[in-house]
């Protein structure tokens, strides 16, 4: 009798193990599966969706959110949040537009036109400065990340409005006789048929992935995000790591601003409004925990493509922009719910 009971229980245990593995596979691969479903559904609904040219066009749109999401991932891995990235993007575009229009040096009676590479460097540095302000407020002055980045959001947006007086810098293509042409190269040129913005996104994603997986900084980041107190006691430079991730987030926002301004050949102070929410959504959909210490670049990139391909698909089939907001919000809520289920299961199992 006892032998029969034991043999009867074995298949049940194996079945439970298989079910658990299937649930885990669905939870951990949800962004990938969601992307496949989105492509399949919109390909069925529109004959124009499933084509290489459309995929490349959508990927160029995703590049903006993807670059922002990489910086946001670093911050969220650290257990923080950066609400200022959208405003930093807009400010970066305005700075680039201001420099491309020429800097008037009244004392010398000349107008200085910087080459495009100098415009890119200056813009990225200023984006890093904005991030450093966030980092110092949070790491040393102990201002909550939500409050600090929210304040910087308004300051950066206000500076952009003051710089432009609420207007837009147009025609950023430059002039050959002034030696400042090439700004639109980021937005319109392609390398082997792939938009430059997508290549920039891929390079940043690869670099970030290697840093997180192969360097001491990556280990410090995961450790400080998982348990900051324990990491500090273990010798991890917690404050330095915190400042660095916010600086990198600011630089990523500046790069995204450059790519967007290049695509539009214009820069306005309202660019990037609510983009911070899209970046956070991409990170969450990709499986990162908002509490910190968990997340991958691969998942974040999939999350960005899920949002981008969903939004563009809704446009292609003619869905109202209001419904697009509803669908995007529903996807975010579902992603957060699945995060809770996934990490809740891990907590119980441990």
């Amino acid at each position: 009798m006892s032998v029969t009971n034991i043999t009867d229980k074995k298949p049940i245990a194996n079945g439970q193990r298989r079910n658990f593995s299937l649930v885990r596979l669905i939870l951990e691969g949800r962004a990938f599966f969601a992307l496949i479903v989105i492509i399949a559904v919109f390909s069925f609904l529109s004959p124009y969706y499933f084509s290489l040219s459309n995929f490349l066009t959508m990927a160029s749109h995703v590049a903006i959110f993807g670059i922002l999401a990489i910086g946001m991932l670093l911050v969220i891995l650290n257990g923080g949040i950066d609400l200022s990235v959208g405003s930093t993007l807009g400010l970066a575009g305005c700075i680039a537009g201001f420099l491309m229009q020429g800097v008037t040096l009244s004392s010398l009676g000349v107008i200085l036109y910087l080459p495009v590479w100098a415009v890119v460097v200056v813009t990225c540095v200023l984006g890093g400065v904005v991030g450093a302000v966030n980092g110092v407020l949070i790491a040393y002055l102990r201002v909550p990340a939500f409050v600090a980045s929210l304040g910087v959001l308004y300051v950066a947006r206000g500076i952009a409005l003051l710089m432009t007086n609420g207007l837009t810098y147009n025609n950023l293509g430059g002039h050959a006789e002034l030696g400042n042409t090439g700004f639109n190269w980021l937005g319109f040129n392609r390398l082997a048929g792939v938009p430059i913005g997508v290549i920039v996104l891929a390079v940043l994603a690869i670099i970030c992935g290697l840093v997180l997986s192969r360097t001491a900084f990556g280990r410090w980041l995961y450790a400080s995000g998982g348990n900051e107190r324990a990491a500090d006691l273990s010798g991890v430079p917690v404050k330095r790591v915190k400042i660095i991730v916010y600086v990198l987030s600011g630089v990523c926002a500046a790069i995204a601003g450059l790519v967007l301004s290049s695509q539009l050949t214009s820069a306005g102070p309202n660019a990037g409004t609510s983009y911070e929410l899209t970046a956070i959504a991409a990170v969450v959909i990709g499986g990162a925990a908002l509490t910190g210490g968990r997340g991958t670049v691969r998942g974040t990139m999939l999350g960005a493509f899920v949002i981008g391909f969903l939004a563009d698909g809704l446009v292609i089939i003619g869905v109202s922009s209001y419904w697009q907001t509803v669908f995007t919000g529903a996807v975010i809520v579902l992603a957060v719910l699945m995060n809770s289920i996934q990490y809740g299961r891990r907590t119980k199992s441990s």
Side-chain angles (χ1 to χ4, degrees):
M1 178 68 70
S2 59
V3 175
T4 304
N5 289 338
I6 292 173
T7 55
D8 288 343
K9 289 180 181 179
K10 284 184 178 179
I12 297 175
N14 291 335
Q16 289 175 345
R17 194 177 297 112
R18 282 194 295 269
N19 290 337
F20 173 77
S21 299
L22 179 60
V23 171
R24 181 177 179 181
L25 176 64
I26 293 174
L27 288 173
E28 294 186 352
R30 58 186 175 274
F32 174 75
F33 295 136
L35 184 60
I36 296 299
V37 170
I38 288 171
I39 293 174
V41 170
F42 285 114
S43 297
F44 175 76
L45 295 176
S46 172
Y48 306 105
Y49 189 85
F50 194 84
S51 66
L52 180 59
S53 61
N54 185 52
F55 282 162
L56 290 175
T57 300
M58 291 191 296
S60 67
H61 299 161
V62 172
I64 308 297
F65 302 124
I67 294 170
L68 279 180
I70 289 174
M72 187 65 73
L73 170 67
L74 298 176
V75 173
I76 289 178
L77 285 176
N78 190 243
I81 200 77
D82 189 356
L83 299 179
S84 67
V85 293
S87 295
T88 304
L89 180 152
L91 177 60
C94 290
I95 291 170
F98 172 76
L99 296 175
M100 289 297 297
Q101 299 290 332
V103 181
T104 302
L105 302 177
S106 302
S107 58
L108 300 177
V110 298
I111 301 177
L112 178 63
Y113 292 93
L114 297 178
V116 172
W117 67 265
V119 172
V120 171
V121 171
V122 171
T123 303
C124 289
V125 169
L126 291 176
V129 170
V130 175
V133 171
N134 275 324
V136 171
L137 287 173
I138 296 166
Y140 286 98
L141 301 182
R142 299 188 179 279
V143 179
F146 182 90
V147 176
S149 60
L150 182 63
V152 173
L153 177 155
Y154 283 107
V155 171
R157 187 70 68 187
I159 293 174
L161 289 167
L162 288 171
M163 285 180 60
T164 62
N165 198 26
L167 303 177
T168 299
Y169 291 113
N170 294 311
N171 303 320
L172 301 184
H175 303 279
E177 62 273 16
L178 299 175
N180 66 342
T181 57
F183 184 76
N184 55 0
W185 182 80
L186 279 173
F188 290 98
N189 277 33
R190 298 191 174 204
L191 185 62
V194 180
I196 297 298
V198 178
I199 295 175
V200 171
L201 172 62
V203 170
L204 289 176
I206 291 171
I207 293 174
C208 183
L210 291 175
V211 168
L212 291 178
S213 62
R214 302 290 181 87
T215 67
F217 176 79
R219 293 189 291 273
W220 291 346
L221 179 54
Y222 279 107
S224 59
N227 190 325
E228 184 172 311
R229 176 62 177 164
D232 190 25
L233 294 175
S234 301
V236 174
V238 173
K239 291 183 178 179
R240 192 198 316 167
V241 170
K242 195 178 295 290
I243 291 176
I244 290 174
V245 295
Y246 280 97
V247 169
L248 293 176
S249 179
V251 172
C252 286
I255 295 173
L258 288 168
V259 174
L260 178 61
S261 299
S262 179
Q263 290 179 353
L264 301 175
T265 62
S266 64
N270 294 316
T273 301
S274 78
Y275 278 24
E276 61 275 358
L277 302 180
T278 306
I280 294 171
V283 176
V284 172
I285 291 172
L290 289 174
T291 52
R294 291 168 174 165
T296 63
V297 176
R298 180 180 63 253
T300 298
M301 290 299 95
L302 286 171
F305 275 91
V306 165
I307 293 177
F309 278 29
L310 174 63
D312 284 355
L314 292 172
V315 170
I316 289 174
I317 64 175
V319 174
S320 167
S321 59
Y322 305 125
W323 278 108
Q324 293 175 32
T325 305
V326 172
F327 283 123
T328 303
V331 169
I332 295 171
V333 171
L334 181 61
V336 172
L337 177 62
M338 296 187 76
N339 273 9
S340 300
I341 296 173
Q342 178 183 356
Y343 297 126
R345 290 175 65 93
R346 288 185 180 179
T347 302
K348 290 179 181 179
S349 62
S350 60

